[in-house]
Amino acid sequence: MSEAPIFCVDGGGTRSRGRIVLASGETLAEAVAGPCNPSSDLSLAVSSITQLWADIAVAAGFDPQAPSRCRLSIGTAGALHPEIRNAFLSGLPVFAERHVMTDGYAALVGASGGEPAGLLVMGTGTVAHRLFADGISIQRDGWGWVAGDRGSAAWIGRKAVEHALAARDEVVAPDDLSAAVWNDMGGEPDAVRSWLRDARQARFAGIAPLVGDAAEAGNATATGILDHAADHGADLLRSLALEEDEPVFLRGGVAEFLHDRLVRRYGRNFAGSEGDAMHGCFLVATGAAPREVRR
Amino acid sequence: MSEAPIFCVDGGGTRSRGRIVLASGETLAEAVAGPCNPSSDLSLAVSSITQLWADIAVAAGFDPQAPSRCRLSIGTAGALHPEIRNAFLSGLPVFAERHVMTDGYAALVGASGGEPAGLLVMGTGTVAHRLFADGISIQRDGWGWVAGDRGSAAWIGRKAVEHALAARDEVVAPDDLSAAVWNDMGGEPDAVRSWLRDARQARFAGIAPLVGDAAEAGNATATGILDHAADHGADLLRSLALEEDEPVFLRGGVAEFLHDRLVRRYGRNFAGSEGDAMHGCFLVATGAAPREVRR
């Protein structure tokens, strides 16, 4: 079966992308489906990837009822937890082989072609990875929005919400940022209380663009939050302790926005990528990159 | 009906307490039941107070099936939100009168006897109230653990968890506090990820005692977190802008623990109370204290 086509999947928190690639490297089809985060919503993750398979199989001219003619290689959040990984896999169609790794690891080996390197992802969440020459990798942060994911969009958004609430309480001076955030949360106490009661990662991340806007308009609080986020990103990069000749890659909307701040703090430029996370899945499935083994 | 006995209730996040008091002030019975927070768990709040009524009615020699012979006066979190308050009341037995106020307001007027005063509560959450001479009150903070409740047990616990995760990521130096918290969360990455996935207010608040222990053992991070919590409490007190002759009261386990730090920062001593939150409910029901009207 080792020559079977590979169904490469980048399972993400807002959407999932799939690609069917022959062992030779030729791409047959691509498709997009819904979110895949088995640790936060297992059944949604299963249905997203099942739908992604059904769509991409048709696009590639395959029989969707015959998944065993393909190999699955997927990078997704929640892949580290054995129980969650097994429950996720047991809900999916039965492919000939299954390779499961974290989304960050797939992005790292896709970028580096499987060579030793580092990766910082700052998007809705924050996570960093390093692949060593012996094929073993480490992950830093990625602990989730409630007490981790330092510097992420959810982190930035929550800092802004905290500021808006403190301004409402008259313990810090109100400013353009506090006004914009308060209005975005509903503009009056009952609405804000409802907003807060339902607030989770995505909702806080949705506040982050207001911080970017305010910083560009010269707001000091917003600038401070973004500086602090960049400090967290640079700290995480340093904690990877990369060798000077090992490339380091950058991913995610927040990282892109903070690019110049990160370069300034970390003192190094970021490298251009060989490929994306689905390419990383392809490399792992074909053995061109190591399987994910954590230290 | 204005002479009917009053069923006074202090509805709390971990347990609720009830007292049946005659209009003369004489107490007939007391009882305790489960949590009452209509905004976080409406059906539990309804069943706790329904059970509390059943128990206390029997203890007072009343017919539990005849609630309309009593007046209800209750202080509880979530009381400010009209929809939640109405849904909560419509689930309860039908009393002759219903007085609903926030738990903080009940505690404030119970402490001050209905006179102008301020109150800082730092327990699982953080909230402050001030009652003005015209009967109108304000509330500060009480926004909930996700982005508010600054300096509360949940806030303290989350700061400690953030520190433990940053230490695990090798971006801050590990210490006794990070080790204690990491072990309390399960001691290894999969267990910690599960802990974090399920972490809400009560779980973070449960970490706070480790911070108190570490601070007493001289840990600098723990001391810094408690100092920061006390700064928040003092900021909130100052935001009340009390007159010099208006008393200010202190409530909650964290506030008690931070008492000396709060006095040092705020520069005033806290007053002794006339009574508890159930006394406040009694005063509101009898008209001796104003009903809660917010500005």
Side-chain angles (χ1 to χ4, degrees), chain B residues 86-140:
Chain B
N86 290 340
F88 175 58
L89 283 175
S90 71
L92 294 182
V94 180
F95 296 92
E97 291 174 16
R98 286 99 54 96
H99 302 274
V100 186
M101 65 205 87
T102 60
D103 45 349
Y105 184 79
L108 170 62
V109 296
S112 79
E115 296 300 310
L119 169 71
L120 172 66
V121 186
M122 296 176 81
T124 306
T126 295
V127 67
H129 295 265
R130 179 182 174 187
L131 176 64
F132 292 88
D134 61 2
I136 292 181
S137 63
I138 54 170
Q139 176 182 318
R140 296 282 159 87

Side-chain angles (χ1 to χ4, degrees), chain A residues 224-248:
Chain A
I225 292 172
L226 295 182
D227 285 346
H228 195 179
D231 289 342
H232 279 316
D235 283 347
L236 209 51
L237 283 166
R238 276 188 288 270
S239 83
L240 296 177
L242 289 163
E243 304 294 335
E244 254 184 57
D245 60 345
E246 288 172 330
V248 57

Side-chain angles (χ1 to χ4, degrees), chain A residues 141 146 150 158 169 194, chain B residues 81 141 146 150 158 169 194:
Chain A
D141 208 341
V146 176
R150 301 182 292 276
R158 189 165 63 192
D169 286 336
S194 294
Chain B
H81 202 290
D141 208 342
V146 175
R150 301 181 294 275
R158 190 166 63 193
D169 287 336
S194 294

